[in-house]
Amino acid sequence: MIALPAEDRWVRVVRHFATALLIHWGVAEDDRDSILLIVGELAANAAQHGRADMTVSITLVERSVRIEVADRGAGPAPVPPKRFGSCDEHGRGLDIVECLAEWSETRMGPGGRQALAGFRLASTEAAGPGSTERDGVRSDCPRGIVGER
């Protein structure tokens, strides 16, 4: 777990923290890239909409990684999803998370917002021979958002 000010400049630190943790756990590069994108998008949202601070928690349970990002901000209501053909560069973070994660949800409470996501690992580098490869992103995920692997 890491707690930082809810500011854009700290999102990079969150990604470095997550990278070190995932490497330590032996998470394979393909899975690691997807998880880091999820963590980065959720942390960027917390930095943009949070008030004082954000807390990022990443947990490995069996073959799944659970990501929790909480902030104290009420912030503006989430923007409705945009069409992927739009030229606007903002408002796609939760769509990306939804495409990559096994599940995701956002909770609002008196203390702020909590974004959660789960990612099932396809393999780990430590698993050795016989480990499975990830087939790529979910079939309903637009290919313009995340590339095939």
Side-chain angles (χ1 to χ4, degrees):
M1 180 185 300
I2 187 169
L4 297 163
E7 300 170 9
D8 289 334
R9 65 187 174 132
W10 294 103
V11 173
R12 176 179 57 87
V13 174
V14 170
R15 281 194 294 263
H16 286 293
F17 164 76
T19 300
L21 195 56
L22 296 170
I23 289 171
H24 175 75
W25 287 337
V27 174
E29 189 174 356
D30 283 348
D31 285 347
R32 194 168 59 231
D33 289 345
S34 295
I35 294 166
L36 290 173
L37 188 51
I38 292 168
V39 168
E41 292 297 335
L42 295 179
N45 282 350
Q48 183 177 7
H49 302 294
R51 288 192 181 137
D53 59 359
M54 63 178 157
T55 303
V56 179
S57 174
I58 304 169
T59 314
L60 176 66
V61 178
E62 295 179 11
R63 309 279 304 160
S64 293
V65 174
R66 179 184 169 99
I67 302 127
E68 294 182 44
V69 179
D71 65 68
R72 292 192 192 170
V79 178
K82 298 187 184 220
R83 299 192 59 90
F84 289 101
S86 171
C87 292
D88 189 4
E89 294 182 13
H90 301 285
R92 292 190 177 98
L94 293 179
D95 290 334
I96 292 170
V97 170
E98 226 175 83
C99 285
L100 293 174
E102 181 179 6
W103 59 268
S104 65
E105 67 179 280
T106 303
R107 300 176 185 163
M108 294 296 294
R113 181 183 3 257
Q114 182 183 34
L116 305 139
F119 186 92
R120 179 163 304 283
L121 298 174
S123 62
T124 60
E125 293 166 358
S131 61
T132 60
E133 289 269 323
R134 185 168 170 81
D135 341 339
V137 297
R138 288 186 358 204
S139 60
D140 60 340
C141 191
R143 297 295 180 210
I145 286 285
V146 289
E148 294 183 61
R149 291 181 213 155

